Amino acid sequence: MGRIEWAMWANEQALASGLILVTGGIVAVAAQFKGWPFAAYSIAAGVFVCLLEYPRGKRKKGSTMERCGQKYFTAVVKVFGPVTRNYYVRAILHAALAVPAGFLLSTILGMACLGIASAIYLLAAIRGEEWNPIEQKPQERPQVGGGTIKQPPTMPPPRPPVETRKKQPAEVAGQENPVPVAVEAE
Amino acid sequence: VLSSYSFYWFQGAAWLGLNVFLFVYYFLLFDRDKKFYYTRVLLGSALAWARASAKCLNFNSMLILLPVCRNLLSFLRGTCSCCRRTMRKQLDHNLTFHKLVAYAIALFTAVHIIAHLCNFEWYNDSQQAADGSLSSILSDLHQDEESNKWLNPIHSNSTVSTPAYVTFTTIPGLTGVIITVALILMVTSSMEFIRRSYFEVFWYTHHLFIIYFAGLVIHGIAGLVRGQTAESLNKHNPEHCAQDPTHWGGNNKHSHCEEPEFGSIPAEVSPSSVVVHPSKVLELQMHKKGFSMEVGQYIFINSPSVSRLEWHPFTLTSAPEEDFFSVHIRAVGDWTENLIDTFQQQKPKTPRIEVDGPFGTASEDVFQYEVAMLVGAGIGVTPFASVLKSIWYKFQHADQRLKTKKIYFYWLCRDTGAFAWFNDLLASLEQEMEESGKASFLNYRLFLTGWDNSIAGQAAFNFDKDTDVVTGLKQKTSFGRPRWSNEFSAVATAHPRSVVGVFLCGPQALAKSLQKCCHQYSSLDPRKVKFYFNKENF
């Protein structure tokens, strides 16, 4: 349990909360429930949370699976430097964003989920995790032999001429054993 | 390979077909049925969306454990060591199905929640409206009385009563929120990335399914969504009466429209017969359309006049062959005492009862044994009322499913006071058997474990009498606990070549000793007598 990066789960939870906030908000606004301005707010808050949480941070150990098309979002989120890198900020931000959504039934679920995400982010921050962007690595030519071969050969190895290259007859399948092999009974 | 994939494809298609069928069937039911005409006036088609998705949620929640339980069981049993590769493929397929069902649950949850958001909002709007519209008239019906006939669950039009308030102060609302949060946490922690990288997060969080299922069972119980009761539909046809709501209830020569009355969907039953037995035992005999039961099952009962929110389980004491179903309720706590008092007061209208069920695994095995030894200890005698009655019915009608030729029934209790009704049942069975000349079919022994010297003295004094002094039955009462070794050896001697089924409803210690006797007295020779102890929980 010690190697868990809570931020990764908090990220999934926050992304889901954003979607739930948007959905709840749309329902309340479309059907014009009482108090729908709160719903309009939660649509905006939900969209913001989704945009912020979409780019996944880099894992400390191992490779991180990027979300589809996240490099554009990474570029934007990276710009804010310490504000987006620090998880304490995110925890407080999500908690603050969640509060107004609690005033309308349609968005209460979003509030609860975002609140939980905020709590998990707080846990991540306490354990010293940080958001690091996943950088694109430049394409390298794969090094053969781990970089010890300086001048790889350019011509194929010499082979005997075509006539001497016999094909094995179909009956003799497989190899010729140098040592006689006895077939054991079942 | 092709055939195995096409099997799984077929399974998926069957599942999808069932979902579609369930959804459409219940949608049309709630959208068209006259019972819900007035509910639809308040809620529109959001009612149908909510209920149809609820049925699909029930169906899928039932299914979702299936693919993973089997694997867990196999794993625990250790049978997968020999065919690892096929087991893994099987596991993969089952997990795929599990995920598919999970996505369906998530989808239907979303539909269900959105529909209920609309429902709560529109219930609230109707309650607040004072414009004399049909909605506001319907919402005001029966709000002040104690009876349970209202339509709109939002009762007062104070400002406190917002949809959010109703959600968090009702059982379905609160449980709904809790289980949805549990579901969302389970889903986010099972995203492939999290599962592969941080398996413990996924594993521990997924155990929230316990909360999900517990909450789901409770969620449906309170029945906030209501329809017009059958008897009300007889006096008030909504299609006809909805046009003129201001003239309901009065003596109107144009339209005889009484005020409509509503009840919740977990059925309302009016007890057809109420008997109060000695020692404060209440017997309720009820009818419900479409109710079918098996022996050994139980139902939940709620009585709004005693307590709006409490549901208590009671074993059914009637046999499936009877045209009513009954329970016997003993006064053991304040809910039962209040209930019995309510019935004893004999108000002009019998108190309303709501029933949910039947639940529990039926005990069909009882009928499969040639010889059955039934042991009921204390309150455990209740399911045997159902069993004995059912066996007797089947025997009389020469039911092919009944293989039983002889029953030995052992009734152990401290004193018969609280079970006098069972006493009467045995007496009537005894009489019926004598009349049909089959007196030897049932052999029962009663053991009073709470005896004292005066009772023993009485018994000794009345030794020669035909009927027992304590119970009035032909069989004499024995005092103290039975000596099982004697009983078993007597049965073994009487039926040297039979298979004997032993059924117990009672304490664990008794189960242990019975099981020991079963082993001891079963013959090693397969042609001779064999005792099988059945661990059925009634």
Side-chain angles (χ1 to χ4, degrees):
Chain A
M1 288 278 274
R3 286 202 300 260
I4 295 179
E5 291 181 54
W6 295 99
M8 294 294 140
W9 181 28
N11 170 267
E12 300 282 342
Q13 181 70 17
L15 192 60
S17 317
L19 291 172
I20 295 172
L21 276 172
V22 169
T23 313
I26 290 180
V27 168
V29 169
Q32 289 283 297
F33 288 168
K34 280 206 191 61
W36 65 267
F38 284 110
Y41 158 80
S42 78
I43 297 178
V47 169
F48 173 70
V49 166
C50 284
L51 291 174
L52 174 62
E53 297 289 345
Y54 190 73
R56 215 177 246 143
K58 190 157 179 269
R59 284 173 65 189
K60 281 204 192 104
K61 263 185 86 163
S63 61
T64 318
M65 263 171 56
E66 283 194 358
R67 291 203 179 101
C68 174
Q70 84 168 39
K71 56 179 189 266
Y72 308 106
F73 297 88
T74 316
V76 174
V77 173
K78 209 169 51 168
V79 161
F80 291 91
V83 172
T84 44
R85 195 167 53 231
N86 188 309
Y87 283 140
Y88 280 111
V89 172
R90 278 204 204 196
I92 297 173
L93 177 67
H94 287 324
L97 284 174
V99 168
F103 288 96
L104 191 60
L105 181 62
S106 323
T107 48
I108 274 186
L109 192 62
M111 175 201 84
C113 293
L114 193 57
I116 293 178
S118 154
I120 309 176
Y121 264 130
L122 188 62
L123 179 59
I126 291 175
R127 303 197 61 229
E129 296 174 26
E130 275 193 339
W131 186 85
N132 290 309
I134 302 177
E135 304 289 357
Q136 295 293 327
K137 284 209 252 307
Q139 288 286 348
E140 294 172 14
R141 213 159 50 93
Q143 294 262 357
V144 175
T148 53
I149 300 176
K150 297 295 179 207
Q151 281 180 334
T154 47
M155 299 285 290
R159 288 198 175 91
V162 186
E163 306 86 27
T164 49
R165 264 186 277 160
K166 289 198 300 237
K167 279 218 173 72
Q168 294 279 1
E171 304 88 65
V172 182
Q175 65 190 57
E176 277 182 46
N177 293 318
V179 177
V181 173
V183 174
E184 281 162 17
E186 296 275 19
Chain B
V1 165
L2 185 64
S3 62
S4 74
Y5 274 112
S6 63
F7 169 73
Y8 290 118
W9 185 90
F10 174 74
Q11 189 184 37
W15 168 82
L16 188 63
L18 267 172
N19 269 305
V20 169
F21 168 74
L22 274 176
F23 192 88
V24 171
Y25 176 82
Y26 281 101
F27 188 88
L28 291 177
L29 178 75
F30 283 91
D31 213 35
R32 304 271 166 91
D33 198 320
K34 214 157 63 164
K35 207 162 44 167
F36 301 106
Y37 185 93
Y38 285 128
T39 326
R40 285 196 294 275
V41 167
L42 295 188
L43 301 179
S45 63
L47 168 72
W49 283 100
R51 298 303 308 181
S53 53
K55 293 293 178 199
C56 290
L57 274 173
N58 278 344
F59 171 62
N60 282 300
S61 300
M62 235 172 39
L63 276 187
I64 197 162
L65 282 182
L66 224 51
V68 284
C69 264
R70 256 185 295 146
N71 292 312
L72 202 57
L73 286 174
S74 299
F75 175 68
L76 290 173
R77 266 187 268 132
T79 56
C80 56
S81 56
C82 54
C83 34
R84 277 223 172 88
R85 209 186 58 197
T86 18
M87 196 65 219
R88 220 180 299 132
K89 264 214 304 205
Q90 176 82 350
L91 189 73
D92 283 342
H93 284 298
N94 285 351
L95 283 182
T96 311
F97 187 61
H98 179 84
K99 285 186 234 177
L100 186 64
V101 177
Y103 283 129
I105 288 184
L107 174 68
F108 284 121
T109 305
V111 171
H112 185 75
I113 293 181
I114 292 177
H116 273 315
L117 285 175
C118 296
N119 286 342
F120 275 8
E121 183 74 21
W122 292 334
Y123 267 145
N124 201 28
D125 284 347
S126 309
Q127 186 60 47
Q128 309 270 14
D131 53 2
S133 63
L134 181 58
S135 317
S136 69
I137 292 181
L138 285 170
S139 305
D140 284 331
L141 283 177
H142 307 291
Q143 292 291 342
D144 319 310
E145 307 154 23
E146 242 195 31
S147 74
N148 216 21
K149 304 198 192 105
W150 38 263
L151 174 62
N152 191 331
I154 301 185
H155 288 291
S156 65
N157 50 11
S158 66
T159 45
V160 180
S161 214
T162 59
Y165 178 79
V166 176
T167 305
F168 286 99
T169 52
T170 51
I171 290 185
L174 192 57
T175 49
V177 173
I178 292 176
I179 64 181
T180 312
V181 171
L183 181 68
I184 292 173
L185 285 174
M186 278 197 276
V187 168
T188 55
S189 61
S190 15
M191 289 285 120
E192 179 143 2
F193 175 62
I194 303 282
R195 226 171 50 232
R196 291 206 193 284
S197 319
Y198 314 104
F199 190 77
E200 294 101 343
V201 172
F202 157 68
W203 182 253
Y204 287 114
T205 317
H206 230 66
H207 283 76
L208 285 171
F209 79 89
I210 300 173
I211 297 187
Y212 175 79
F213 278 102
L216 190 65
V217 169
I218 304 175
H219 183 70
I221 280 186
L224 280 188
V225 176
R226 308 168 69 109
Q228 202 169 345
T229 56
E231 50 176 291
S232 174
L233 275 173
N234 286 334
K235 300 184 257 180
H236 178 120
N237 183 348
E239 280 158 12
H240 178 64
C241 298
Q243 293 148 16
D244 195 14
T246 42
H247 288 117
W248 287 345
N251 275 331
N252 195 331
K253 52 184 186 290
H254 295 292
S255 59
H256 302 279
C257 290
E258 299 286 329
E259 278 197 341
E261 297 175 354
F262 303 92
S264 46
I265 299 165
E268 279 214 359
V269 288
S270 221
S272 58
S273 165
V274 176
V275 183
V276 180
H277 292 278
S279 295
K280 287 204 122 186
V281 171
L282 180 72
E283 176 183 351
L284 289 176
Q285 293 182 359
M286 297 169 274
H287 292 269
K288 179 176 150 189
K289 201 161 64 120
F291 184 89
S292 78
M293 60 165 279
E294 302 289 336
V295 293
Q297 291 194 306
Y298 61 93
I299 51 173
F300 277 94
I301 294 189
N302 165 284
S303 177
S305 51
V306 174
S307 165
R308 272 262 192 96
L309 295 179
E310 288 182 45
W311 288 79
H312 293 266
F314 293 95
T315 313
L316 288 163
T317 48
S318 56
E321 288 85 359
E322 295 173 310
D323 59 358
F324 58 88
F325 62 97
S326 71
V327 291
H328 284 71
I329 302 176
R330 228 169 28 128
V332 278
D334 44 353
W335 187 85
T336 37
E337 294 214 4
N338 286 336
L339 185 72
I340 295 179
D341 282 338
T342 322
F343 276 98
Q344 276 186 320
Q345 277 164 30
Q346 290 175 327
K347 286 202 198 113
K349 274 190 170 182
T350 44
R352 267 215 147 76
I353 298 274
E354 293 186 9
V355 158
D356 200 11
F359 302 111
T361 49
S363 233
E364 300 264 295
D365 294 352
V366 175
F367 309 125
Q368 303 297 327
Y369 291 92
E370 238 184 277
V371 179
M373 286 173 73
L374 309 176
V375 181
I379 188 70
V381 84
T382 328
F384 287 116
S386 172
V387 172
L388 285 178
K389 280 199 256 191
S390 183
I391 289 187
W392 179 238
Y393 276 113
K394 288 186 160 66
F395 191 71
Q396 278 192 308
H397 296 111
D399 192 327
Q400 297 299 341
R401 288 167 297 170
L402 180 70
K403 301 213 175 45
T404 318
K405 301 270 185 299
K406 178 90 183 168
I407 304 181
Y408 293 92
F409 180 61
Y410 300 92
W411 182 13
L412 286 66
C413 60
R414 249 185 261 281
D415 65 272
T416 58
F419 301 105
W421 62 271
F422 194 77
N423 216 357
D424 298 335
L425 168 66
L426 281 183
S428 69
L429 278 181
E430 189 180 47
Q431 195 183 16
E432 282 184 39
M433 281 185 226
E434 272 206 16
E435 283 169 9
S436 0
K438 300 224 172 47
S440 60
F441 179 64
L442 172 66
N443 176 311
Y444 59 89
R445 305 278 305 282
L446 165 61
F447 292 87
L448 285 184
T449 51
W451 58 279
D452 60 22
N453 282 325
S454 71
I455 299 181
Q458 282 249 332
F461 190 67
N462 293 302
F463 188 69
D464 300 327
K465 285 236 182 73
D466 212 20
T467 54
D468 185 78
V469 61
V470 178
T471 58
L473 295 167
K474 286 246 157 73
Q475 278 279 4
K476 293 295 178 139
T477 309
S478 315
F479 295 94
R481 297 216 184 110
R483 256 189 282 199
W484 292 114
S485 39
N486 290 355
E487 303 295 333
F488 273 79
S489 64
V491 173
T493 324
H495 305 273
R497 266 181 281 280
S498 308
V499 177
V500 183
V502 179
F503 293 84
L504 167 72
C505 188
Q508 189 60 21
L510 189 51
K512 286 206 178 94
S513 52
L514 284 179
Q515 187 146 30
K516 219 166 61 165
C517 284
C518 283
H519 286 149
Q520 223 176 330
Y521 287 92
S522 289
S523 166
L524 287 171
D525 187 338
R527 293 167 302 169
K528 301 230 183 99
V529 68
K530 277 219 162 317
F531 290 90
Y532 286 106
F533 182 66
N534 284 273
K535 280 184 160 178
E536 311 267 337
N537 291 335
F538 284 100

